Amino acid sequence: MFIYVYISVPVRKSQGILSSVVASESESLERARGLLARAQRVVVLTGAGISTDSGIPDFRGPNGVWTKNPEAEKMATLQYYVADPDVRKKAWRNRAEHAAWTASPNPGHAALVDLERQGKLHTLVTQNVDGLHQLAGSDPAKVVEIHGTMRDVECLACGERAPMERVLARVKDGEEDPPCRTCGGILKSATISFGQNLVAEDLVRAQLAAETCDLLLAVGSSLGVYPAAGMVPIAKESGAALIIVNAEPTPFDPIADAVLRGSISEVLPALVRAS
Ligand code: APR
């Protein structure tokens, strides 16, 4: 049984290795482009940072949801959602107003579609639940939504699953905490909250991808939430090269072969552009 566990890994701010890896933007970009050109089996791990340029806030960045309201992270835990109707009512209001419903993919998402069309992208594991990779044109068969999706709803009692739109229509008609119409159970978006099990086959698929890739590209993630972040050391220990694209330092920068700072929707197209 896999439990979705958040382990906050303190980021070591000053390390000599990091300065040599992020010595200069252009050097890092050229090094990363060389690694990507040689790679045949690329696995990508994306986080909330790839969607911020589409208007969807991340969690731990300077304007992140948890950064601005640490209390909110506690509420994103299954036990509170199940125990407290007020938490559920607020969650349904937030879902109805979520930026994802009007968001469009950005050049960062498009760059990963480009990488797929170059025949290099083996698997795209995303921690995001917004569905923007598929909307951008990524092959759904290659996408592993390891933290689930906000575009479906499921009943915590009977497991029935349906498109989110149906329940949001009930919320907009005034149902503050709509129960499952089949069994009366509690409904929740089909995302994985803290304290909830991840889907075993998704985890196995993500781990196998990390073990067998020749390059892991981590994009827009603080790489502090497990088991998703565990893909990074697995890939490195399996001999893969590691490229990290992120505005802020991550715990794995010291073992990366290239670290690219800057905005993902600018950096990723420059990285992926076929030479
Ligand atoms: N360009 C580059 N980096 C960016 C950009 C951008 N435009 N926008 C944000 N970032 C970076 C932030 O600096 C931050 O380090 O993306 C990172 C996002 O990190 P988090 O907010 O922690 O998101 P993520 O790593 O996906 O979180 C993992 O935690 O709360 C849970 O379930 C949630 O799936 C999520 C998981």
Side-chain angles (χ1 to χ4, degrees), residues 14-219:
S14 61
Q15 53 259 349
I17 302 171
L18 181 58
S19 57
S20 67
V21 167
V22 194
S24 84
E25 293 305 316
S26 55
E27 273 173 22
S28 299
L29 180 60
E30 281 321 302
R31 178 167 46 245
R33 281 178 57 79
L35 290 168
L36 198 54
R38 288 190 292 278
Q40 299 296 320
R41 192 182 173 100
V42 177
V43 168
V44 180
L45 171 64
T46 61
I50 197 170
S51 294
T52 55
D53 285 347
S54 296
I56 301 174
D58 62 13
F59 299 97
R60 299 172 189 85
N63 298 308
V65 177
W66 305 154
T67 310
K68 287 182 169 175
N69 177 9
E71 194 56 23
E73 183 165 13
K74 186 163 78 83
M75 289 298 139
T77 305
L78 188 68
Q79 72 188 72
Y80 290 101
Y81 185 85
V82 169
D84 187 341
D86 288 338
V87 169
R88 295 198 294 275
K89 289 173 186 173
K90 181 152 179 48
W92 282 112
R93 286 195 298 273
N94 290 345
R95 287 177 190 134
E97 298 154 9
H98 198 285
W101 305 124
T102 54
S104 303
N106 63 58
H109 298 101
L112 296 182
V113 175
D114 185 10
L115 186 65
E116 180 183 319
R117 289 179 182 155
Q118 290 174 27
K120 285 182 177 279
L121 192 146
H122 181 268
T123 304
L124 198 174
V125 180
T126 186
Q127 299 172 89
N128 301 338
V129 298
D130 55 34
L132 290 185
H133 286 302
Q134 295 92 323
L135 276 179
S138 288
D139 177 356
K142 288 182 179 289
V143 178
V144 179
E145 293 179 306
I146 200 164
H147 290 164
T149 176
M150 63 186 286
R151 294 182 182 272
D152 285 343
V153 66
E154 67 182 0
C155 173
L156 296 179
C158 69
E160 183 170 324
R161 202 169 163 124
M164 176 60 79
E165 290 85 358
R166 282 193 213 155
V167 183
L168 288 184
R170 293 170 60 186
V171 173
K172 284 171 187 156
D173 284 350
E175 288 190 69
E176 290 185 291
D177 181 14
C180 173
R181 283 202 163 132
T182 303
C183 75
I186 292 173
L187 294 179
K188 179 181 167 299
S189 66
T191 55
I192 313 283
S193 299
F194 292 111
Q196 208 169 352
N197 294 346
L198 276 78
V199 176
E201 48 265 33
D202 288 346
L203 266 174
V204 169
R205 204 173 145 202
Q207 180 160 338
L208 191 60
E211 285 168 353
T212 56
C213 69
D214 56 10
L215 189 147
L216 181 79
L217 174 59
V219 180

